[in-house]
Amino acid sequence: MSSLKTQEAQLAAALRARKVSKSQHDQLKRELDSLKAGTQQADLDNQGSAFSKKGVDPQKEAQLKALERRKKELEDTLAKLAGV
């Protein structure tokens, strides 16, 4: 199970256990969905770069690092909510 799918499962479990409100759940779910979309786009961009002779795009690399930071922050938040 991928990390984002695991986080979605943790978020759903936190909602069922009433550790988060519906509005908190919805906000965190939107963030997860945004991360998932950004990650998918970065993967596509990286696949395209693999065929390009330009090499690594610094802007895309910065976007990927920002996604990784957001993912880590979300993981930390979910861990706190789950009481891990």
Side-chain angles (χ1 to χ4, degrees), residues 33-50:
D33 291 344
S34 173
L35 272 173
K36 190 183 298 184
T39 301
Q40 289 171 343
Q41 185 60 49
D43 286 344
L44 288 174
D45 290 345
N46 286 339
Q47 289 173 5
S49 294

Side-chain angles (χ1 to χ4, degrees), residues 14-72:
L15 180 64
R16 284 192 303 275
R18 301 184 191 269
K19 292 184 178 182
V20 295
S21 68
K22 179 68 173 148
S23 63
Q24 288 173 314
H25 171 273
D26 293 346
Q27 175 62 33
L28 290 169
K29 179 72 172 128
R30 280 191 297 274
E31 290 181 36
L32 272 173
D33 291 344
S34 173
L35 272 173
K36 190 183 298 184
T39 301
Q40 289 171 343
Q41 185 60 49
D43 286 344
L44 288 174
D45 290 345
N46 286 339
Q47 289 173 5
S49 294
F51 296 108
S52 171
K53 294 183 181 186
K54 294 186 227 176
V56 177
D57 181 349
Q59 183 179 4
K60 289 179 183 175
E61 199 165 300
Q63 288 173 334
L64 187 56
K65 287 182 181 185
L67 283 170
E68 289 171 356
R69 276 193 307 275
R70 286 178 54 204
K71 181 179 172 222
K72 176 67 176 134

